[in-house]
Amino acid sequence: MADLARAGAPEGSWLRADTQSGGRGRHGRTWLSHAGNLYASTLVLLRPGDPPPATLTLVAAVALDQLVAAYLGTERLRLKWPNDVLVWDAEGGWAKLSGILLEAAGEAVVVGFGVNLAHHPQDIDRPATSLAAAGAAPPDPGLFARDLAAAFADWLAHWRGEGLAVVRRRWLERAHPIGTPLATTGPDGARIEGLFDGLDESGALRLRLADGAVHVMHAGDFDLL
C-alpha cells in the first residue's frame, strides 16, 4: 500500500491479502498469517488542518470496535491504548483480537489492520483470541473488510470535520476504566507502573504514578495488570 500511495493512489483505497508471510507489527515484530483472518490496509491523504496523523490510530480503533461489537456485543470488548481491541475470553481475562499499525508514505498515512476472525496465535507472550474462539461465526474476510471500510470512512469524516475531540471521547467510552492498573517498559528498559488516567487533548495516554505525578506517554506498549 505504501508503494501505491507514492504512485498516487487516492484516499480510501484498500488492499487486502488472503495470507501474509511477512506481516509487521509494532517494534518490527513479524508473524506468519493464515487464511481466514483479515489483513488489510487503507490510505489517508493528509490535508491542511487535519488533526495530528498519529491520532488516526484512535480513528481506526473506534471504527474496528464498532464493527466487532456487531458480532460480540459491546460488553465483552475494550480498547487498550493506543490501538488494540480486547475481548473478554472464556478463560476470564482480556485477550487481543486485533492490531493496528500506521505507516507514513510521503503525504499519506497507511493504516493497517490485522483482525483474528477464524484463527489466533497460540505461541505469543500475551493472550490472543479470535471471533471464532469468542463464539461468533467468523465472517468472510472480504465482507468484513467492506464493512470496516464503511465504518472507518465514517469515523474519518468525524475526525476531519469535527476534530479529534469527538474521536477521543468515543475512544474513552470504549476503553478500560479510569484507574485501571497499567505497566510499560520505558526507553531505558525500566518498568513503569501506574493507573490509567485518560487521554490528554492530543490523544496521548496519561499514566498516574504512585507519587501522584502524571506521566504522559505519546508512544508505548502497555499491559493491563
Side-chain angles (χ1 to χ4, degrees):
M1 181 60 82
D3 290 339
L4 291 178
R6 296 184 185 99
E11 179 168 289
S13 299
W14 281 79
L15 189 64
R16 184 179 68 84
D18 289 329
T19 62
Q20 284 189 145
S21 60
R24 291 185 295 114
R26 289 174 61 82
H27 309 299
R29 295 178 182 130
T30 61
W31 68 88
L32 180 66
S33 309
H34 299 289
N37 290 344
L38 178 75
Y39 318 109
S41 58
T42 187
L43 197 60
V44 176
L45 303 184
L46 299 175
R47 304 176 187 173
D50 279 347
T55 61
L56 284 167
T57 192
L58 303 180
V59 177
V62 298
L64 181 56
D65 169 78
Q66 176 179 293
L67 179 54
V68 174
Y71 295 88
L72 298 178
T74 58
E75 293 305 312
R76 295 177 63 192
L77 300 178
R78 288 292 182 272
L79 295 178
K80 181 172 77 69
W81 190 88
N83 54 20
D84 288 345
V85 177
L86 304 181
V87 175
W88 188 258
D89 67 11
E91 304 299 321
W94 293 106
K96 182 173 177 175
L97 179 75
S98 64
I100 296 162
L101 184 68
L102 304 185
E103 180 181 359
E107 296 301 313
V109 175
V110 177
V111 184
F113 295 86
V115 187
N116 298 328
L117 303 179
H119 317 285
H120 64 279
Q122 306 282 348
D123 55 348
I124 56 176
D125 58 359
R126 58 188 62 185
T129 191
S130 63
L131 285 183
D140 175 82
L143 296 179
F144 191 90
R146 179 201 63 190
D147 294 340
L148 179 58
F152 183 78
D154 182 52
W155 279 103
L156 182 66
H158 287 300
W159 175 84
R160 180 166 278 153
E162 302 170 53
L164 176 60
V166 65
V167 178
R168 174 182 173 274
R169 181 167 61 249
R170 175 57 176 255
W171 192 96
L172 286 168
E173 290 171 355
R174 301 295 305 134
H176 39 76
I178 299 294
T180 298
L182 302 177
T184 189
T185 301
D188 60 355
R191 184 175 174 85
I192 304 172
E193 295 187 1
L195 302 179
F196 177 58
D197 195 46
L199 305 181
D200 74 6
E201 292 183 356
S202 73
L205 182 137
R206 291 168 49 91
L207 189 68
R208 187 166 297 278
L209 306 181
D211 62 2
V214 173
H215 188 56
V216 178
M217 304 287 293
H218 293 274
D221 197 1
F222 284 84
D223 292 315
L224 302 181
L225 298 180

